[in-house]
Every structure is written in C-alpha cells, then in structure tokens.
C-alpha cells in the first residue's frame, strides 16, 4: 500500500507550453472524474479507455493542452453514453475544484468582485478561456469564449462552463439566479428538439446556433454580497493566486526554469546550487549572475518553491503534515512547521482548518 509520502513521489512530466498558451491545470480533470464516479463508473477503467496515465492526476502542478481536456471530455461523454455530459457536469462543480481562483471568488465582497477575480486569475486554471461581461440597460450579459475565436470549443466544454457559472453565482449569492436568456454558438444535440434537459438546468430554453455564447440576467446580481465573504482570507488567497499567475507568466524566464527544475526534483531530492547549475549547463557563477539580473537569488527561489508546494499539498487535503515535511526535505516535522508559520503566520494545521471554516455561512 502506498503511503502519503510515497504518493508525493509520483511526478507527471507534462509537455512544454509556449508563453501565450499555458494550457490547462490538471485540476480541470477532477470534475470529469467526479461526474463519472457519480454515475457509477470506475476511474481506473476510464483512465485505460482514454489512454490517460493515472500518475498524471497526482501532480498538482501538471498542465495539459486545452485540446487534451476537450478530448477527454468528449471521451467521457461517449464512455458514459451521456448526450448531456457537460451540462450535467456543471452542476457538480465546487469551489475547491477551481483551486485558488475558486477560493478568491468565495471570499470576494460582491458577485461583481468574484466575477472580476475569476476573470483575473482564470489563467491559473484554463488559459485561452475568456469570461467577459457588459451591462446593457438593466441586464448583465456574461459572454463565454476562447482567446482564439476561429476555433470552435467543444459543446460539452461550453455547456459545462455555462452551467458552472450559473451554479457558482447562485451558490455565492445563496439564491437561484434567474436567467433572462441563454445562447449557445453550437447547435442543439437532440434532433428531436427536446430541450427539457436545458430547461431543467437554466429555467428557460436556450437559443442555439447564435453568433456568441452568453448568459443574460439582471444587473443587480453584481452588487449581491457574497455569502462566504471574508476580507482576511481574501487577502491570503489573492496573494497566492497572484503568485501562481506570475509564475505562469515568468515560466520562460531563467528564474522560472530554476523554479520548475526544483519542483520536478522534489520530492525525490532537494537540488543544491551545484545540481542546478549542472542541470542548466552553466557555471555556479553564471547561475547566480543571471538570477541577480532577474532580481532574485537561488535561496529566494528555493524558499518560494517549498512554500508554494506546501500550500498546494495542504489544500489538496490528502497528505499529512509529516508526509509534506518529508517530501519537501525538511530535517524534521517541527522544522517544516516553524518555516510554514514564518511564511504565513499560521501553523500547517491552522491553515488547513481555515480552508474549511469559510464554507459555513456566518450567523
């Protein structure tokens, strides 16, 4: 049986992404697997069906191409024989599935602030997907699209995102959102014209074959307070989300290469300055000089990598504090706890508990 520390040793090596397309976080596959399990299917059998290495799911930093996400979504629809797979999946999404952007949304002051946060940090989850909105008279129009408009996004992905957006807004506001209009740029999947599954989800019949995909509702929803809003937790998660976003943008920098090398090395070993210089094919002096040019040092990067990985493993919730300390190569658990408190002002246990508390409405 594999324990927590050994599980952390499984690292997926994803393909490279260019600076304009950072791909999709591996966490975007979790809702697909959750939907299949909810339907009674075994995840291992689906992994084999879709030719997906289960180890890929164990690496919280892994990213896959957008096209791979769409392929897996379409395979899941065929595998489960569900004509409305994306539509059904959307209602199972939770804020935890969105990671840092989800937590920032949850603690935002208003729905408008939460939508702005989703727009600002969505690159962490799904680069290439756009959420835009405009106010027209008394209406709020949310538009869902791809960065590269010449490409048609698969129907299941579009419908999943549309339902997810309605579901998340409703949960943040603690009331059902009344939609005035739903449009999809794709065609209806059922030739018979049966739109009852859509009416069940949205409360109204959508229009298909439109020039754009959008949701229309009353603009007052933007000023609706968020049920779980917590200014202190918002500051914590927004800082973390910005760090993750910056990390993606700097992935082509020299310091980004050092950071990625460290993440790929852990938890097998914690690379030294000498290890890193040899890996990058430069001298130690050149390594230090190039990092100084980017206003950082090897020590600062190593601390940041440990901090980010510790936060992500604690958010995942499946590893003990001892396992994480071992995986990040601290000499003992107490050393990790002291370092974590210095980074965040909380112990690992306090931080993990704080992730659960905001889910309870305040009295």
């Amino acid at each position: 049986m594999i324990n927590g520390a050994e599980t952390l040793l499984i690292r997926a090596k994803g393909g490279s992404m260019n600076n304009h397309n950072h791909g999709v976080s591996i966490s975007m596959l979790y809702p697909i697997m959750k939907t299949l399990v909810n339907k009674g299917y075994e995840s291992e059998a689906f992994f084999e069906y879709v030719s997906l290495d289960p180890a890929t799911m164990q690496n919280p930093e892994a990213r896959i191409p957008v096209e791979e996400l769409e392929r897996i979504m379409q395979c899941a629809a065929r595998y489960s024989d569900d004509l409305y797979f994306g539509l059904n999946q959307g209602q199972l999404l939770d804020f935890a599935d969105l990671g840092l952007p989800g937590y920032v949304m949850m603690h935002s002051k208003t729905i408008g602030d939460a939508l702005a946060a989703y727009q600002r940090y969505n690159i962490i989850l799904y680069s290439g997907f756009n959420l835009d909105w405009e106010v027209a008279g008394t209406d709020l129009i949310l538009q869902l699209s791809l960065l590269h408009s010449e490409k048609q996004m698969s129907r299941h992905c579009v419908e999943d995102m549309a339902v997810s957006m309605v579901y998340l807004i409703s949960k943040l506001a603690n009331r059902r959102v009344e939609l005035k209009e739903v449009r999809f740029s794709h065609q209806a999947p059922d030739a018979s014209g049966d739109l009852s599954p859509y009416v069940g989800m949205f409360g109204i019949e959508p229009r298909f074959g439109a020039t754009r995909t959008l949701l229309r509702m009353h603009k007052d929803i933007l000023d609706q307070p968020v049920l779980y809003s917590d200014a202190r937790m918002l500051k914590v998660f927004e800082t973390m989300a910005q760090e993750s976003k910056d990390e993606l943008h700097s992935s082509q920098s020299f310091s980004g290469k050092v950071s990625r090398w460290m993440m790929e090395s852990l938890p097998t070993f914690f690379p030294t300055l000498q290890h890193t210089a040899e890996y990058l094919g430069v001298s130690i002096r050149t390594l230090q000089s190039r990092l100084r040019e980017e206003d950082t040092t090897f020590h600062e990067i190593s601390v940041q990598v440990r901090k980010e990985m510790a936060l992500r493993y604690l958010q995942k919730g499946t590893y003990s504090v001892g396992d994480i300390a071992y995986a990040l190569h601290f000499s003992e658990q107490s050393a990790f706890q002291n370092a974590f408190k210095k980074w965040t002002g909380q112990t690992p246990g306090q931080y993990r508990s704080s992730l659960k508390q905001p889910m309870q409405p305040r009295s």
Side-chain angles (χ1 to χ4, degrees):
M1 189 172 186
I2 300 177
N3 64 32
E6 290 170 331
T7 302
L8 289 174
L9 291 171
I10 302 174
R11 309 292 297 177
K13 309 297 183 183
S16 61
M17 307 288 176
N18 63 43
N19 211 29
H20 301 288
N21 180 12
H22 300 285
V24 180
S25 168
I26 198 68
S27 65
M28 294 295 285
L29 295 184
Y30 300 159
I32 297 176
M33 303 312 302
K34 181 163 59 174
T35 304
L36 289 171
V37 171
N38 190 61
K39 289 174 174 290
Y41 294 97
E42 295 289 338
S43 56
E44 291 79 7
F46 178 70
F47 285 142
E48 184 175 352
Y49 173 82
V50 80
S51 301
L52 179 66
D53 183 357
T56 304
M57 303 288 288
Q58 301 297 328
N59 181 8
E61 285 82 40
R63 300 184 75 82
I64 59 175
V66 173
E67 294 78 12
E68 179 68 356
L69 172 68
E70 296 198 357
R71 181 188 74 83
I72 293 172
M73 176 80 88
Q74 292 177 39
C75 285
R78 291 194 299 270
Y79 187 76
S80 60
D81 194 24
D82 185 354
L83 188 63
Y84 306 100
F85 186 87
L87 197 69
N88 293 322
Q89 177 176 304
Q91 65 180 327
L92 295 179
L93 185 72
D94 206 346
F95 289 102
D97 296 326
L98 297 178
L100 289 173
Y103 289 122
V104 174
M105 290 179 72
M106 186 193 306
H107 295 296
S108 296
K109 187 175 181 180
T110 66
I111 300 295
D113 293 335
L115 292 176
Y118 183 90
Q119 188 179 52
R120 189 161 58 251
Y121 299 120
N122 186 54
I123 188 175
I124 298 173
L125 295 170
Y126 192 166
S127 72
F129 171 66
N130 274 348
L131 169 68
D132 295 310
W133 72 81
E134 60 180 306
V135 174
T138 61
D139 294 343
L140 168 66
I141 302 173
L142 298 180
Q143 181 175 333
L144 312 178
S145 63
L146 285 178
L147 277 174
H148 305 291
S149 57
E150 71 275 5
K151 180 182 175 184
Q152 180 73 26
M153 189 159 47
S154 73
R155 176 177 66 82
H156 290 294
C157 285
V158 174
E159 294 179 359
D160 168 42
M161 291 171 185
V163 175
S164 297
M165 192 56 57
V166 174
Y167 171 80
L168 291 175
I169 292 174
S170 297
K171 190 164 186 179
L172 288 170
N174 197 32
R175 66 177 175 87
R176 183 181 176 88
V177 174
E178 302 245 347
L179 295 173
K180 295 184 177 183
E181 183 183 22
V182 177
R183 295 186 195 179
F184 289 116
S185 57
H186 57 263
Q187 299 298 323
D190 190 345
S192 70
D194 179 17
L195 299 181
S196 58
Y198 295 93
V199 175
M201 290 292 180
F202 298 114
I204 58 175
E205 287 190 0
R207 171 184 164 190
F208 291 90
T211 56
R212 56 180 179 158
T213 295
L214 62 82
L215 305 167
R216 185 189 297 267
M217 61 196 74
H218 199 284
K219 69 175 183 179
D220 287 354
I221 194 67
L222 289 173
D223 298 320
Q224 175 76 31
V226 173
L227 177 65
Y228 311 106
S229 179
D230 185 315
R232 182 179 64 86
M233 295 306 299
L234 174 63
K235 184 176 181 180
V236 171
F237 287 120
E238 188 135 39
T239 298
M240 292 163 56
Q242 187 60 51
E243 288 174 352
S244 293
K245 182 179 178 180
D246 292 343
E247 180 185 331
L248 279 174
H249 283 308
S250 66
S251 60
Q252 298 302 307
S253 67
F254 189 77
S255 57
K257 292 179 181 178
V258 173
S259 179
R260 282 200 311 278
W261 154 246
M262 287 186 179
M263 287 185 175
E264 291 173 357
S265 300
L266 286 167
T268 307
F269 70 99
F270 193 75
T272 64
L273 188 63
Q274 180 68 44
H275 288 146
T276 306
E278 291 174 356
Y279 172 78
L280 295 173
V282 297
S283 67
I284 290 179
R285 185 173 180 178
T286 298
L287 171 63
Q288 293 172 321
S289 175
R290 293 193 62 177
L291 290 178
R292 278 198 303 272
E293 290 174 2
E294 297 182 7
D295 296 320
T296 189
T297 66
F298 183 81
H299 175 71
E300 288 173 350
I301 293 174
S302 64
V303 169
Q304 187 63 27
V305 166
R306 273 178 157 176
K307 175 184 174 182
E308 289 180 7
M309 293 186 72
L311 291 169
R312 291 172 188 176
Y313 286 137
L314 286 167
Q315 289 163 28
K316 195 170 179 65
T318 54
Y319 310 120
S320 71
V321 173
D323 286 335
I324 297 173
Y326 173 81
L328 298 182
H329 287 256
F330 282 89
S331 57
E332 52 189 24
Q333 184 172 322
S334 61
F336 167 60
Q337 291 175 317
N338 291 336
F340 191 86
K341 188 166 185 179
K342 182 179 179 181
W343 298 332
T344 66
Q346 296 177 296
T347 66
Q350 289 170 337
Y351 172 76
R352 180 169 271 169
S353 296
S354 72
L355 297 179
K356 304 173 184 177
Q357 292 170 0
M359 292 304 295
Q360 300 301 322
R362 292 194 208 167
S363 56

